[in-house]
Amino acid sequence: MKYFKKNIGNHGAYAKYYLQERSEEVDPQRKFPTMVICPGGAFMMTSFREDEAVTLRFLDEGFNVVVVHYATDGADKYLGKSSAQLPKKPASLFPNSLVEVAQAVSYLKEHATDWGVNENYICVGGFSAGANIAAQLGVYWQEEWLEKLVGKPKKLYRPTHLMLGYGAYDLSDKGNSRYTKMPEIMSYARHALFGTVDPAEEQLDKVNPIKHISTFTPPTFLWQTVKDEIINVQGTIDFEQALFNKNVPFEAHIFNEGGHGLSLADLRTGNDQKQVNFQVSKWFNLFIEWLAPQKSQRATFFSAD
């Protein structure tokens, strides 16, 4: 395996690249699928719990993995602070994170031939806030304004599939929201994206990918729990309805038990039983099986063609 870290953009973002290596013993022409991971963290940080352990699961399935640590200011700059104490110009202002993920994907595809990248499987996924950013790429990749900001042809960062875990999509309502059960966290998230806890509705609509789903949106896999104590499952339900309305292929799994931020839902990514749920942990295998081109076999991504 090859590994390296690359700085992305001008705001402190970086991406970690884990690349499978071809072998003369196995298949010197093998091409590998790629999973691009956007960890969550309410746009204030990127979570370790949705980074290395998740990476190892995908590496074990024969994927390349790119983990994008989009620029943030750190949770310590937000939690417990008054609005006057929050960062004046957050590193995470929209669309910085979107552009950073697009640039990280572009770098991968620019080296697709040398690295044996299967360009039919450039999957972009994320958790919580990271799911929002991954979904932004899914709904905006075809836009001219994004191409200008990225500075690369849009074909280089077009995702082929999305994987969205317990995504935070609608950040608009400060209280009594059908989308969030912790409005104080959402106020910090809004500031991280717009530099104010009270942005205009038009601004909030820009970071709600549900409102921008179109026929350009790639096939999408979604999952969440009903008892998520931070993000209401209604957002995932509305997301899948919007995909259905646009005839975009999707699969959604809504598990009854389990809280927010479960990641792999076992003790590799948790420190107590609240972060362990055997049923929810099946999301990973369900995703791999949904993605596989042949449903009768598991490892059917690989091709020497």
Side-chain angles (χ1 to χ4, degrees), residues 92-103 132-155 157 193-194 202-209 211-214 216:
S92 48
L93 286 174
F94 176 80
N96 290 355
S97 301
L98 169 60
V99 172
E100 290 156 359
V101 173
Q103 289 172 333
N132 179 301
I133 295 167
Q136 285 182 34
L137 187 62
V139 301
Y140 282 138
W141 70 266
Q142 75 282 358
E143 297 290 344
E144 298 295 333
W145 62 263
L146 181 58
E147 188 172 50
K148 291 178 181 178
L149 291 173
V150 176
K152 302 284 185 179
K154 59 175 71 79
K155 66 180 181 180
Y157 52 84
L193 287 166
F194 299 110
E202 181 181 354
Q203 290 178 291
L204 289 167
D205 284 349
K206 290 179 180 178
V207 297
N208 182 356
K211 293 181 177 291
H212 303 281
I213 289 170
S214 71
F216 290 102

Side-chain angles (χ1 to χ4, degrees), residues 18-23 26-35 57-65 115-121 288 291-294 297-305:
Y18 302 79
L19 304 173
Q20 304 279 349
E21 293 190 82
R22 292 165 166 169
S23 167
V26 179
D27 181 355
Q29 300 301 317
R30 177 159 290 182
K31 296 179 181 180
F32 302 95
T34 300
M35 186 70 213
R57 285 297 307 271
F58 280 104
L59 288 173
D60 189 50
E61 293 291 337
F63 281 65
N64 299 316
V65 180
W115 294 344
V117 174
N118 185 340
E119 296 186 60
N120 294 318
Y121 293 96
I288 295 294
L291 192 64
Q294 297 179 35
Q297 301 178 47
R298 186 176 179 88
T300 53
F301 303 103
F302 306 117
S303 172
D305 296 335

Side-chain angles (χ1 to χ4, degrees), residues 95-116:
N96 290 355
S97 301
L98 169 60
V99 172
E100 290 156 359
V101 173
Q103 289 172 333
V105 175
S106 296
Y107 189 73
L108 175 84
K109 290 191 70 174
E110 285 173 332
H111 297 85
T113 301
D114 293 339
W115 294 344

Side-chain angles (χ1 to χ4, degrees), residues 139-304:
V139 301
Y140 282 138
W141 70 266
Q142 75 282 358
E143 297 290 344
E144 298 295 333
W145 62 263
L146 181 58
E147 188 172 50
K148 291 178 181 178
L149 291 173
V150 176
K152 302 284 185 179
K154 59 175 71 79
K155 66 180 181 180
L156 284 179
Y157 52 84
R158 178 184 70 86
T160 62
H161 305 79
L162 299 178
M163 188 291 295
L164 309 177
Y166 43 89
Y169 307 119
D170 189 311
L171 311 177
S172 61
D173 199 337
K174 302 183 189 67
N176 300 317
S177 175
R178 59 201 292 260
Y179 293 105
T180 177
K181 301 174 185 177
M182 292 190 68
E184 66 276 18
I185 295 295
M186 291 302 107
S187 69
Y188 292 140
R190 287 192 291 270
H191 184 93
L193 287 166
F194 299 110
T196 174
V197 298
D198 190 24
E201 183 177 352
E202 181 181 354
Q203 290 178 291
L204 289 167
D205 284 349
K206 290 179 180 178
V207 297
N208 182 356
I210 296 171
K211 293 181 177 291
H212 303 281
I213 289 170
S214 71
T215 55
F216 290 102
T217 306
T220 301
F221 181 96
L222 310 95
W223 68 274
Q224 196 178 353
T225 63
V226 173
K227 295 185 179 179
D228 187 320
E229 74 281 12
I230 295 179
I231 302 298
N232 198 313
V233 74
Q234 185 66 52
T236 292
I237 294 170
D238 288 352
F239 202 115
E240 62 181 286
Q241 182 65 58
L243 292 168
F244 177 80
N245 291 345
K246 295 295 184 179
N247 294 313
V248 176
F250 72 93
E251 181 166 310
H253 293 272
I254 297 178
F255 304 96
N256 187 55
E257 299 293 332
H260 188 73
L262 286 177
S263 189
L264 293 178
D266 61 32
L267 287 177
R268 283 173 294 188
T269 56
N271 57 17
D272 61 42
Q273 289 302 312
K274 292 180 180 179
Q275 295 169 327
V276 175
N277 185 305
F278 179 69
Q279 184 187 25
V280 176
S281 73
K282 296 176 182 177
W283 76 261
F284 183 89
N285 285 339
L286 290 168
F287 171 67
I288 295 294
E289 292 158 9
W290 170 77
L291 192 64
Q294 297 179 35
K295 304 308 177 188
S296 58
Q297 301 178 47
R298 186 176 179 88
T300 53
F301 303 103
F302 306 117
S303 172

Side-chain angles (χ1 to χ4, degrees), residues 3-9 13-17 67 103-104 107 110-111 115:
Y3 167 80
F4 62 91
K5 185 167 76 171
K6 178 177 172 56
N7 293 329
I8 304 292
Y14 64 93
K16 299 188 294 186
Y17 291 79
V67 183
Q103 289 172 333
Y107 189 73
E110 285 173 332
H111 297 85
W115 294 344

